[in-house]
Amino acid sequence: MQRQYTGTAGRIENAQVGVFLYLATTRGRALIDRRLYLPEHSWSTDPERRREAGIPETVEFATKPRLAGEMITAALDAGIAASWVTGDEAYGQAPHLRTVLEARGTGYVLAVAFSARVRINHGRTTVRADTVAERLPATAWQRHSAGRGAKGYRHYDWAWIHIGTGSHRHLLIRRNRTTGELAFYLCWSPTTATLAELVRVAGVRWSIDEFFQAAKGQVGLDHYQVRHWTSWHRHITLAMLALAFLTAVAADAAPGRPAGRNFPTQDSDPIFLSVPEIRHLLTAVFAPPAATAARLLHWSIWRRRHQATARRSHYRRRSLDEPAG
């Protein structure tokens, strides 16, 4: 615990910072590993503080990207199949992490700052990422959806350009169709990838924020006041396990449903059982209110049918408001 930057708050404050590994598949998504970040000067080199907090002697200072690389390596070694890795600027700016991924043959789409420098013209010219965007002709931009959000498809203009000397290395650029705001990604893949594939991977990154909100609201991921190394890992691991269990139950309740595509096929159908709905039903089973099981199921179906109607309305309105072209 110390004053440090935390992505959750978006500012510097007194906090503990964890690095998490998130797995997204066609059936569901879950947190599969975690590391507690140990600040370098105030903690790593203070034996007395380490001893009081129960930090093992074998734990040394490691940057957040290095912690991410360790978790990814452990996951791949354990047999978890992952074709792509994505992350925000804190990880995209780390050459060590990109090197680890390339050595394992794992593609990546990692966000970088607008000031990141890339090599174009077959590696002969070094230029800033935002300068590349300024020089692109209008024909370089293509409209693609990065996936579905709460209010409809996330449509942006996208462009890509070969960088470096390899044919599978790109700078991916996203442009907001309304504000013109730009975002940049360094991309690499062991084999040929399409622009649509890179856009899809970039879109998965946005679901992480939504997933963390679910983890906090449904299983209390951040509902703790611990100051001990072991206590933090116990609480976080238990919360991750609880959320993974709920996710697995939701996947089993809707076999064949792609992750993130919770849309009924008919107007009268409710949405599929979600993680919040399953938690609500389990809570009712283990701490039963003054209502029968049949009534609880009736209310569950009513809620999910109402949610399906609301979601269709959101998407219909969003599609009508979306500019053409």
Side-chain angles (χ1 to χ4, degrees):
M1 171 74 73
Q2 74 166 31
R3 287 191 61 79
Q4 55 189 321
Y5 178 82
T6 166
T8 302
R11 61 180 182 271
I12 295 177
E13 63 177 26
N14 205 34
Q16 295 167 332
V17 174
V19 180
F20 292 85
L21 187 62
Y22 170 81
L23 179 67
T25 74
T26 56
R27 294 294 309 282
R29 297 164 180 179
L31 297 172
I32 61 172
D33 205 351
R34 74 285 177 267
R35 295 285 192 278
L36 179 57
Y37 174 69
L38 191 65
E40 182 176 10
H41 301 295
S42 58
W43 280 94
S44 297
T45 58
D46 190 329
E48 184 176 351
R49 293 188 79 183
R50 290 175 59 106
R51 187 164 48 252
E52 291 177 354
I55 301 172
E57 294 181 359
T58 55
V59 176
E60 299 178 349
F61 170 75
T63 63
K64 295 164 191 173
R66 188 169 293 275
L67 292 175
E70 292 175 358
M71 289 190 290
I72 292 170
T73 298
L76 295 175
D77 288 345
I80 293 178
S83 301
W84 294 96
V85 168
T86 184
D88 61 22
E89 290 182 14
Y91 304 96
Q93 301 282 106
H96 167 76
L97 178 58
R98 301 199 301 269
T99 300
V100 168
L101 295 174
E102 292 181 23
R104 298 299 298 254
T106 303
Y108 57 77
V109 178
L110 297 170
V112 292
F114 64 89
S115 57
R117 304 188 71 84
V118 297
R119 291 185 173 274
I120 59 175
N121 298 331
H122 302 286
R124 294 190 296 267
T125 307
T126 302
V127 64
R128 282 174 45 134
D130 55 353
T131 302
V132 174
E134 292 172 359
R135 296 176 179 176
L136 290 174
T139 54
W141 298 93
Q142 301 179 36
R143 181 186 178 189
H144 284 277
S145 168
R148 283 170 166 161
K151 298 181 179 179
Y153 284 99
R154 298 184 176 104
H155 284 113
Y156 291 88
D157 290 333
W158 300 82
W160 62 337
I161 183 172
H162 286 289
I163 58 174
T165 56
S167 60
H168 301 152
R169 199 178 299 277
H170 295 86
L171 174 68
L172 176 67
I173 309 170
R174 186 191 83 217
R175 183 175 68 189
N176 189 298
R177 295 172 59 83
T178 303
T179 65
E181 181 183 4
L182 299 176
F184 303 88
Y185 305 83
L186 291 182
C187 309
W188 177 85
S189 58
T191 58
T192 301
T194 64
L195 174 60
E197 178 72 356
L198 298 181
V199 169
R200 183 192 66 80
V201 177
V204 172
R205 166 65 188 87
W206 301 335
S207 69
I208 298 175
D209 294 332
E210 299 171 358
F211 190 86
F212 268 103
Q213 290 302 317
K216 294 171 184 177
Q218 302 303 321
V219 298
L221 183 70
D222 63 341
H223 297 182
Y224 66 87
Q225 294 182 354
V226 301
R227 296 293 184 271
H228 197 275
W229 179 271
T230 302
S231 301
W232 186 90
H233 284 85
R234 285 176 176 172
H235 174 85
I236 295 298
T237 303
L238 183 59
M240 289 169 52
L241 179 60
L243 191 56
F245 169 77
L246 293 173
T247 301
V249 173
D252 287 342
R257 176 193 65 181
R261 297 173 65 94
N262 195 358
F263 290 84
T265 57
Q266 300 179 16
D267 287 348
S268 59
D269 292 341
I271 67 170
F272 294 115
L273 281 168
S274 61
V275 166
E277 187 66 22
I278 292 172
R279 186 188 66 83
H280 175 83
L281 292 172
L282 288 175
T283 300
V285 169
F286 291 108
T292 64
R295 184 165 182 80
L296 289 172
L297 290 175
H298 171 78
W299 273 106
S300 173
I301 294 172
W302 181 90
R303 276 194 303 271
R304 291 183 288 120
R305 186 170 286 127
H306 177 75
Q307 290 166 350
T309 302
R311 184 167 293 183
R312 279 191 296 269
S313 297
H314 275 302
Y315 275 72
R316 190 177 298 113
R317 188 180 305 113
R318 182 69 173 266
S319 63
L320 292 175
D321 295 339
E322 188 72 32

